[in-house]
Amino acid sequence: MHLAYPAVLAALLFCTGLYGVLARRNAILVLMSVELMLNAVNLNLVAFDVWLRDALHAGQALTLFTIAIAAAEIGIGLAIVLMVYRNRGTSDVDRLRDTAEGYEPAANNQSEVTA
């Protein structure tokens, strides 16, 4: 098998994930897009490991390490998203610019000064 086939597939997966990260507003979809990008990297690692015929299989070992990191990232990321959703009622990334407690936008926090 030629190296071009998995490389092109990985590039398409990575570009799809990058589009998902840049264009989506839902935090769950952003996390799924990051996972898609990591899977594209894993595909490249395994493809180049097979192509180079590495005796130590360093690409496959690094792929297992990347899968473990991705599992931890998705676990912590989902926990954070669920906690933010419980507190704010939305998982829209654009509305979560400031996560400080008690924050209210300046337009809603009008103080009246009367003499």
Side-chain angles (χ1 to χ4, degrees), residues 39-79:
N39 285 330
V41 170
N42 288 339
L43 179 62
N44 264 336
L45 284 172
V46 171
F48 276 98
D49 183 56
V50 170
W51 184 65
L52 292 174
R53 295 189 176 119
D54 186 18
L56 295 176
H57 299 293
Q60 293 178 17
L62 190 57
T63 297
L64 289 175
F65 180 72
T66 306
I67 289 171
I69 295 297
E73 175 257 335
I74 201 68
I76 292 172
L78 281 176

mmCIF file of all heavy atoms in Angstrom, residues 39-79:
data_model
loop_
_atom_site.group_PDB
_atom_site.id
_atom_site.type_symbol
_atom_site.label_atom_id
_atom_site.label_comp_id
_atom_site.label_asym_id
_atom_site.label_seq_id
_atom_site.Cartn_x
_atom_site.Cartn_y
_atom_site.Cartn_z
ATOM 1 N N ASN A 39 -7.190 11.754 15.930
ATOM 2 C CA ASN A 39 -7.246 10.495 15.193
ATOM 3 C C ASN A 39 -6.541 10.598 13.844
ATOM 4 O O ASN A 39 -5.957 9.619 13.378
ATOM 5 C CB ASN A 39 -8.684 10.040 15.022
ATOM 6 C CG ASN A 39 -9.249 9.490 16.304
ATOM 7 O OD1 ASN A 39 -8.526 8.945 17.129
ATOM 8 N ND2 ASN A 39 -10.535 9.648 16.481
ATOM 9 N N ALA A 40 -6.575 11.751 13.223
ATOM 10 C CA ALA A 40 -5.825 11.953 11.982
ATOM 11 C C ALA A 40 -4.325 11.862 12.234
ATOM 12 O O ALA A 40 -3.583 11.258 11.446
ATOM 13 C CB ALA A 40 -6.184 13.299 11.369
ATOM 14 N N VAL A 41 -3.889 12.422 13.344
ATOM 15 C CA VAL A 41 -2.476 12.328 13.708
ATOM 16 C C VAL A 41 -2.102 10.881 13.998
ATOM 17 O O VAL A 41 -1.028 10.407 13.581
ATOM 18 C CB VAL A 41 -2.170 13.243 14.921
ATOM 19 C CG1 VAL A 41 -0.783 12.989 15.463
ATOM 20 C CG2 VAL A 41 -2.337 14.696 14.526
ATOM 21 N N ASN A 42 -2.975 10.154 14.671
ATOM 22 C CA ASN A 42 -2.709 8.744 14.957
ATOM 23 C C ASN A 42 -2.598 7.931 13.674
ATOM 24 O O ASN A 42 -1.745 7.041 13.562
ATOM 25 C CB ASN A 42 -3.807 8.161 15.850
ATOM 26 C CG ASN A 42 -3.724 8.675 17.256
ATOM 27 O OD1 ASN A 42 -2.686 9.151 17.699
ATOM 28 N ND2 ASN A 42 -4.819 8.594 17.973
ATOM 29 N N LEU A 43 -3.452 8.220 12.707
ATOM 30 C CA LEU A 43 -3.391 7.524 11.428
ATOM 31 C C LEU A 43 -2.059 7.783 10.732
ATOM 32 O O LEU A 43 -1.443 6.867 10.184
ATOM 33 C CB LEU A 43 -4.563 7.965 10.547
ATOM 34 C CG LEU A 43 -4.646 7.343 9.163
ATOM 35 C CD1 LEU A 43 -4.827 5.835 9.264
ATOM 36 C CD2 LEU A 43 -5.776 7.967 8.391
ATOM 37 N N ASN A 44 -1.588 9.016 10.772
ATOM 38 C CA ASN A 44 -0.283 9.338 10.192
ATOM 39 C C ASN A 44 0.843 8.624 10.928
ATOM 40 O O ASN A 44 1.784 8.135 10.302
ATOM 41 C CB ASN A 44 -0.040 10.839 10.213
ATOM 42 C CG ASN A 44 -0.406 11.491 8.913
ATOM 43 O OD1 ASN A 44 -0.430 10.852 7.879
ATOM 44 N ND2 ASN A 44 -0.691 12.774 8.969
ATOM 45 N N LEU A 45 0.773 8.578 12.246
ATOM 46 C CA LEU A 45 1.825 7.915 13.008
ATOM 47 C C LEU A 45 1.931 6.434 12.654
ATOM 48 O O LEU A 45 3.033 5.912 12.444
ATOM 49 C CB LEU A 45 1.571 8.080 14.511
ATOM 50 C CG LEU A 45 1.881 9.438 15.115
ATOM 51 C CD1 LEU A 45 1.389 9.502 16.548
ATOM 52 C CD2 LEU A 45 3.361 9.719 15.058
ATOM 53 N N VAL A 46 0.814 5.757 12.576
ATOM 54 C CA VAL A 46 0.829 4.331 12.249
ATOM 55 C C VAL A 46 1.258 4.118 10.798
ATOM 56 O O VAL A 46 2.028 3.195 10.497
ATOM 57 C CB VAL A 46 -0.547 3.703 12.539
ATOM 58 C CG1 VAL A 46 -0.623 2.292 12.017
ATOM 59 C CG2 VAL A 46 -0.823 3.725 14.027
ATOM 60 N N ALA A 47 0.781 4.962 9.878
ATOM 61 C CA ALA A 47 1.144 4.807 8.470
ATOM 62 C C ALA A 47 2.648 4.997 8.263
ATOM 63 O O ALA A 47 3.287 4.209 7.545
ATOM 64 C CB ALA A 47 0.361 5.798 7.618
ATOM 65 N N PHE A 48 3.219 5.996 8.882
ATOM 66 C CA PHE A 48 4.651 6.214 8.733
ATOM 67 C C PHE A 48 5.461 5.150 9.463
ATOM 68 O O PHE A 48 6.553 4.802 9.028
ATOM 69 C CB PHE A 48 5.042 7.617 9.213
ATOM 70 C CG PHE A 48 4.854 8.666 8.155
ATOM 71 C CD1 PHE A 48 3.716 9.444 8.140
ATOM 72 C CD2 PHE A 48 5.801 8.864 7.174
ATOM 73 C CE1 PHE A 48 3.520 10.399 7.167
ATOM 74 C CE2 PHE A 48 5.636 9.816 6.188
ATOM 75 C CZ PHE A 48 4.481 10.595 6.184
ATOM 76 N N ASP A 49 4.941 4.614 10.543
ATOM 77 C CA ASP A 49 5.620 3.529 11.241
ATOM 78 C C ASP A 49 5.695 2.284 10.357
ATOM 79 O O ASP A 49 6.733 1.630 10.284
ATOM 80 C CB ASP A 49 4.902 3.206 12.548
ATOM 81 C CG ASP A 49 5.610 2.129 13.338
ATOM 82 O OD1 ASP A 49 6.808 2.316 13.630
ATOM 83 O OD2 ASP A 49 4.968 1.106 13.652
ATOM 84 N N VAL A 50 4.608 1.970 9.667
ATOM 85 C CA VAL A 50 4.602 0.819 8.761
ATOM 86 C C VAL A 50 5.485 1.097 7.545
ATOM 87 O O VAL A 50 6.224 0.224 7.086
ATOM 88 C CB VAL A 50 3.151 0.482 8.334
ATOM 89 C CG1 VAL A 50 3.116 -0.530 7.215
ATOM 90 C CG2 VAL A 50 2.368 -0.008 9.532
ATOM 91 N N TRP A 51 5.432 2.314 7.036
ATOM 92 C CA TRP A 51 6.211 2.663 5.847
ATOM 93 C C TRP A 51 7.710 2.627 6.127
ATOM 94 O O TRP A 51 8.492 2.153 5.299
ATOM 95 C CB TRP A 51 5.793 4.039 5.347
ATOM 96 C CG TRP A 51 6.466 4.460 4.084
ATOM 97 C CD1 TRP A 51 6.344 3.876 2.852
ATOM 98 C CD2 TRP A 51 7.360 5.551 3.927
ATOM 99 N NE1 TRP A 51 7.105 4.549 1.939
ATOM 100 C CE2 TRP A 51 7.750 5.586 2.567
ATOM 101 C CE3 TRP A 51 7.870 6.511 4.790
ATOM 102 C CZ2 TRP A 51 8.620 6.537 2.056
ATOM 103 C CZ3 TRP A 51 8.734 7.457 4.293
ATOM 104 C CH2 TRP A 51 9.104 7.465 2.934
ATOM 105 N N LEU A 52 8.125 3.102 7.287
ATOM 106 C CA LEU A 52 9.554 3.120 7.639
ATOM 107 C C LEU A 52 10.053 1.774 8.146
ATOM 108 O O LEU A 52 11.252 1.580 8.277
ATOM 109 C CB LEU A 52 9.810 4.199 8.694
ATOM 110 C CG LEU A 52 9.627 5.638 8.215
ATOM 111 C CD1 LEU A 52 9.767 6.601 9.385
ATOM 112 C CD2 LEU A 52 10.632 5.976 7.134
ATOM 113 N N ARG A 53 9.131 0.862 8.464
ATOM 114 C CA ARG A 53 9.465 -0.460 8.998
ATOM 115 C C ARG A 53 10.380 -0.342 10.213
ATOM 116 O O ARG A 53 11.433 -0.964 10.296
ATOM 117 C CB ARG A 53 10.106 -1.324 7.923
ATOM 118 C CG ARG A 53 9.176 -1.622 6.807
ATOM 119 C CD ARG A 53 9.747 -2.643 5.849
ATOM 120 N NE ARG A 53 8.771 -2.953 4.838
ATOM 121 C CZ ARG A 53 8.969 -2.744 3.542
ATOM 122 N NH1 ARG A 53 10.090 -2.248 3.124
ATOM 123 N NH2 ARG A 53 8.028 -3.041 2.688
ATOM 124 N N ASP A 54 9.934 0.470 11.144
ATOM 125 C CA ASP A 54 10.688 0.705 12.375
ATOM 126 C C ASP A 54 10.670 -0.558 13.229
ATOM 127 O O ASP A 54 9.614 -1.144 13.481
ATOM 128 C CB ASP A 54 10.067 1.874 13.141
ATOM 129 C CG ASP A 54 10.873 2.274 14.352
ATOM 130 O OD1 ASP A 54 12.059 1.910 14.431
ATOM 131 O OD2 ASP A 54 10.314 2.969 15.220
ATOM 132 N N ALA A 55 11.844 -0.990 13.688
ATOM 133 C CA ALA A 55 11.934 -2.209 14.497
ATOM 134 C C ALA A 55 11.334 -2.013 15.884
ATOM 135 O O ALA A 55 10.811 -2.951 16.482
ATOM 136 C CB ALA A 55 13.392 -2.651 14.614
ATOM 137 N N LEU A 56 11.388 -0.796 16.396
ATOM 138 C CA LEU A 56 10.862 -0.521 17.733
ATOM 139 C C LEU A 56 9.378 -0.175 17.713
ATOM 140 O O LEU A 56 8.751 -0.081 18.763
ATOM 141 C CB LEU A 56 11.633 0.625 18.388
ATOM 142 C CG LEU A 56 13.099 0.356 18.682
ATOM 143 C CD1 LEU A 56 13.757 1.610 19.229
ATOM 144 C CD2 LEU A 56 13.244 -0.787 19.657
ATOM 145 N N HIS A 57 8.816 0.050 16.550
ATOM 146 C CA HIS A 57 7.415 0.458 16.402
ATOM 147 C C HIS A 57 7.114 1.697 17.245
ATOM 148 O O HIS A 57 6.148 1.751 18.003
ATOM 149 C CB HIS A 57 6.461 -0.680 16.758
ATOM 150 C CG HIS A 57 6.623 -1.878 15.881
ATOM 151 N ND1 HIS A 57 6.308 -1.855 14.545
ATOM 152 C CD2 HIS A 57 7.091 -3.127 16.136
ATOM 153 C CE1 HIS A 57 6.555 -3.030 14.010
ATOM 154 N NE2 HIS A 57 7.040 -3.821 14.956
ATOM 155 N N ALA A 58 7.958 2.694 17.095
ATOM 156 C CA ALA A 58 7.814 3.925 17.875
ATOM 157 C C ALA A 58 6.528 4.673 17.506
ATOM 158 O O ALA A 58 5.901 5.293 18.369
ATOM 159 C CB ALA A 58 9.020 4.827 17.664
ATOM 160 N N GLY A 59 6.126 4.618 16.257
ATOM 161 C CA GLY A 59 4.896 5.294 15.845
ATOM 162 C C GLY A 59 3.673 4.691 16.502
ATOM 163 O O GLY A 59 2.768 5.401 16.934
ATOM 164 N N GLN A 60 3.647 3.366 16.598
ATOM 165 C CA GLN A 60 2.509 2.706 17.227
ATOM 166 C C GLN A 60 2.511 2.947 18.736
ATOM 167 O O GLN A 60 1.445 3.116 19.343
ATOM 168 C CB GLN A 60 2.534 1.216 16.915
ATOM 169 C CG GLN A 60 2.306 0.937 15.451
ATOM 170 C CD GLN A 60 2.371 -0.540 15.118
ATOM 171 O OE1 GLN A 60 2.279 -1.382 15.997
ATOM 172 N NE2 GLN A 60 2.515 -0.842 13.844
ATOM 173 N N ALA A 61 3.697 2.982 19.347
ATOM 174 C CA ALA A 61 3.777 3.276 20.784
ATOM 175 C C ALA A 61 3.319 4.706 21.067
ATOM 176 O O ALA A 61 2.591 4.953 22.035
ATOM 177 C CB ALA A 61 5.193 3.064 21.287
ATOM 178 N N LEU A 62 3.724 5.637 20.211
ATOM 179 C CA LEU A 62 3.297 7.026 20.389
ATOM 180 C C LEU A 62 1.803 7.165 20.138
ATOM 181 O O LEU A 62 1.135 7.987 20.774
ATOM 182 C CB LEU A 62 4.092 7.935 19.446
ATOM 183 C CG LEU A 62 3.960 9.435 19.659
ATOM 184 C CD1 LEU A 62 4.346 9.809 21.083
ATOM 185 C CD2 LEU A 62 4.821 10.189 18.679
ATOM 186 N N THR A 63 1.252 6.354 19.251
ATOM 187 C CA THR A 63 -0.187 6.358 19.009
ATOM 188 C C THR A 63 -0.951 5.917 20.253
ATOM 189 O O THR A 63 -1.964 6.520 20.618
ATOM 190 C CB THR A 63 -0.530 5.438 17.825
ATOM 191 O OG1 THR A 63 0.104 5.965 16.661
ATOM 192 C CG2 THR A 63 -2.019 5.364 17.601
ATOM 193 N N LEU A 64 -0.461 4.879 20.925
ATOM 194 C CA LEU A 64 -1.111 4.445 22.171
ATOM 195 C C LEU A 64 -1.049 5.532 23.237
ATOM 196 O O LEU A 64 -2.008 5.747 23.978
ATOM 197 C CB LEU A 64 -0.463 3.161 22.682
ATOM 198 C CG LEU A 64 -0.751 1.913 21.865
ATOM 199 C CD1 LEU A 64 0.045 0.742 22.404
ATOM 200 C CD2 LEU A 64 -2.230 1.605 21.876
ATOM 201 N N PHE A 65 0.069 6.225 23.304
ATOM 202 C CA PHE A 65 0.203 7.340 24.248
ATOM 203 C C PHE A 65 -0.774 8.459 23.895
ATOM 204 O O PHE A 65 -1.431 9.027 24.780
ATOM 205 C CB PHE A 65 1.650 7.858 24.229
ATOM 206 C CG PHE A 65 1.890 8.998 25.156
ATOM 207 C CD1 PHE A 65 1.925 8.804 26.526
ATOM 208 C CD2 PHE A 65 2.090 10.273 24.656
ATOM 209 C CE1 PHE A 65 2.146 9.862 27.385
ATOM 210 C CE2 PHE A 65 2.308 11.331 25.508
ATOM 211 C CZ PHE A 65 2.342 11.128 26.875
ATOM 212 N N THR A 66 -0.920 8.754 22.617
ATOM 213 C CA THR A 66 -1.847 9.794 22.176
ATOM 214 C C THR A 66 -3.291 9.411 22.466
ATOM 215 O O THR A 66 -4.099 10.266 22.851
ATOM 216 C CB THR A 66 -1.667 10.060 20.669
ATOM 217 O OG1 THR A 66 -0.303 10.339 20.418
ATOM 218 C CG2 THR A 66 -2.510 11.224 20.209
ATOM 219 N N ILE A 67 -3.629 8.138 22.307
ATOM 220 C CA ILE A 67 -4.986 7.680 22.615
ATOM 221 C C ILE A 67 -5.274 7.837 24.101
ATOM 222 O O ILE A 67 -6.371 8.252 24.497
ATOM 223 C CB ILE A 67 -5.176 6.223 22.145
ATOM 224 C CG1 ILE A 67 -5.219 6.174 20.626
ATOM 225 C CG2 ILE A 67 -6.451 5.626 22.713
ATOM 226 C CD1 ILE A 67 -5.186 4.772 20.057
ATOM 227 N N ALA A 68 -4.290 7.541 24.946
ATOM 228 C CA ALA A 68 -4.477 7.702 26.393
ATOM 229 C C ALA A 68 -4.665 9.171 26.758
ATOM 230 O O ALA A 68 -5.532 9.518 27.576
ATOM 231 C CB ALA A 68 -3.289 7.110 27.141
ATOM 232 N N ILE A 69 -3.878 10.041 26.152
ATOM 233 C CA ILE A 69 -4.019 11.483 26.408
ATOM 234 C C ILE A 69 -5.375 11.983 25.908
ATOM 235 O O ILE A 69 -6.034 12.795 26.571
ATOM 236 C CB ILE A 69 -2.862 12.260 25.739
ATOM 237 C CG1 ILE A 69 -1.533 11.892 26.384
ATOM 238 C CG2 ILE A 69 -3.091 13.757 25.790
ATOM 239 C CD1 ILE A 69 -1.415 12.259 27.843
ATOM 240 N N ALA A 70 -5.820 11.496 24.753
ATOM 241 C CA ALA A 70 -7.118 11.915 24.212
ATOM 242 C C ALA A 70 -8.259 11.455 25.106
ATOM 243 O O ALA A 70 -9.248 12.182 25.282
ATOM 244 C CB ALA A 70 -7.289 11.361 22.800
ATOM 245 N N ALA A 71 -8.141 10.257 25.680
ATOM 246 C CA ALA A 71 -9.191 9.778 26.581
ATOM 247 C C ALA A 71 -9.263 10.638 27.839
ATOM 248 O O ALA A 71 -10.360 10.973 28.309
ATOM 249 C CB ALA A 71 -8.930 8.321 26.947
ATOM 250 N N ALA A 72 -8.114 11.007 28.376
ATOM 251 C CA ALA A 72 -8.102 11.888 29.548
ATOM 252 C C ALA A 72 -8.648 13.266 29.190
ATOM 253 O O ALA A 72 -9.410 13.862 29.969
ATOM 254 C CB ALA A 72 -6.690 12.003 30.098
ATOM 255 N N GLU A 73 -8.291 13.762 28.024
ATOM 256 C CA GLU A 73 -8.764 15.085 27.595
ATOM 257 C C GLU A 73 -10.270 15.106 27.426
ATOM 258 O O GLU A 73 -10.934 16.053 27.848
ATOM 259 C CB GLU A 73 -8.067 15.452 26.282
ATOM 260 C CG GLU A 73 -8.548 16.733 25.658
ATOM 261 C CD GLU A 73 -9.479 16.500 24.499
ATOM 262 O OE1 GLU A 73 -9.419 15.444 23.864
ATOM 263 O OE2 GLU A 73 -10.303 17.405 24.243
ATOM 264 N N ILE A 74 -10.826 14.062 26.839
ATOM 265 C CA ILE A 74 -12.274 14.059 26.622
ATOM 266 C C ILE A 74 -13.009 13.876 27.942
ATOM 267 O O ILE A 74 -14.082 14.448 28.141
ATOM 268 C CB ILE A 74 -12.678 12.996 25.573
ATOM 269 C CG1 ILE A 74 -14.044 13.332 24.980
ATOM 270 C CG2 ILE A 74 -12.739 11.614 26.141
ATOM 271 C CD1 ILE A 74 -14.087 14.530 24.145
ATOM 272 N N GLY A 75 -12.452 13.126 28.868
ATOM 273 C CA GLY A 75 -13.088 12.965 30.181
ATOM 274 C C GLY A 75 -13.131 14.267 30.956
ATOM 275 O O GLY A 75 -14.179 14.660 31.488
ATOM 276 N N ILE A 76 -12.010 14.952 31.011
ATOM 277 C CA ILE A 76 -11.949 16.228 31.729
ATOM 278 C C ILE A 76 -12.745 17.297 30.986
ATOM 279 O O ILE A 76 -13.462 18.094 31.596
ATOM 280 C CB ILE A 76 -10.482 16.659 31.923
ATOM 281 C CG1 ILE A 76 -9.801 15.696 32.885
ATOM 282 C CG2 ILE A 76 -10.389 18.083 32.438
ATOM 283 C CD1 ILE A 76 -8.318 15.896 33.012
ATOM 284 N N GLY A 77 -12.652 17.297 29.654
ATOM 285 C CA GLY A 77 -13.391 18.281 28.865
ATOM 286 C C GLY A 77 -14.891 18.140 29.015
ATOM 287 O O GLY A 77 -15.604 19.128 29.172
ATOM 288 N N LEU A 78 -15.384 16.910 28.994
ATOM 289 C CA LEU A 78 -16.825 16.704 29.170
ATOM 290 C C LEU A 78 -17.277 17.073 30.572
ATOM 291 O O LEU A 78 -18.377 17.621 30.751
ATOM 292 C CB LEU A 78 -17.190 15.249 28.869
ATOM 293 C CG LEU A 78 -17.308 14.891 27.396
ATOM 294 C CD1 LEU A 78 -17.562 13.410 27.230
ATOM 295 C CD2 LEU A 78 -18.394 15.697 26.740
ATOM 296 N N ALA A 79 -16.448 16.806 31.563
ATOM 297 C CA ALA A 79 -16.801 17.197 32.930
ATOM 298 C C ALA A 79 -16.905 18.720 33.041
ATOM 299 O O ALA A 79 -17.841 19.241 33.666
ATOM 300 C CB ALA A 79 -15.781 16.656 33.914
#
